[in-house]
Amino acid sequence: IYSSMLAVLSGVHPAIVFRTLLPLFEIPAAIGVIFLLLKELFSKSQKKALLGVIYYIFFALAVSEKMGGNCSEWWLFVNCWTGKALSFNVVIPLVLWLLLRLEKEPVGKTRTAYWITLFLVSGAACNIAATMFLILPIEIGTWGIFSLYRTRRWSDIWKYALSAAPAVL
């Protein structure tokens, strides 16, 4: 679905889009999302987050060299135009970052924006790879259960269900 959608929308031959244009966007997007995630985890030190990004790139390159086609890192650096690369190197960390932000953010406009973004990312992920239909509800549901328990924001249960709904449906 992802391949067909990009070819039709761009009007450019899929080989040109996949092998020339998408690597320019997907590899920096994956690294950027990892930086956001590490910045969230190391909120007191941006140096640690940047060091974590360097480690991520180093280990991802080392793993992709040794693992062949069996890991998400290989898909990112060798076949980054595929849905597997985009889903496991961009979408899953992005959803995790959004879930982390939602738990820390107080009620307000920014929190609403995060919920809307989570819903849109969840819906868009269904066009990328078939595995997202299974992975996203598990990720959102598992995080939601523990987040609801930690924060006692029981009124958010329908928001978690709505965020996972595109993949479930």
Side-chain angles (χ1 to χ4, degrees), residues 58-79:
F58 173 72
F59 290 133
L61 286 170
V63 167
S64 66
E65 170 67 24
K66 298 293 181 193
M67 293 297 291
N70 298 328
C71 65
S72 63
E73 292 83 4
W74 185 84
W75 287 100
L76 177 64
F77 291 116
V78 179
N79 288 339

Side-chain angles (χ1 to χ4, degrees), residues 99 138-151 154 157 160:
L99 292 169
I138 291 172
E139 182 180 17
I140 294 171
T142 305
W143 184 273
I145 289 168
F146 290 110
S147 177
L148 289 171
Y149 180 73
R150 280 190 303 269
T151 62
W154 301 110
I157 194 165
Y160 284 107

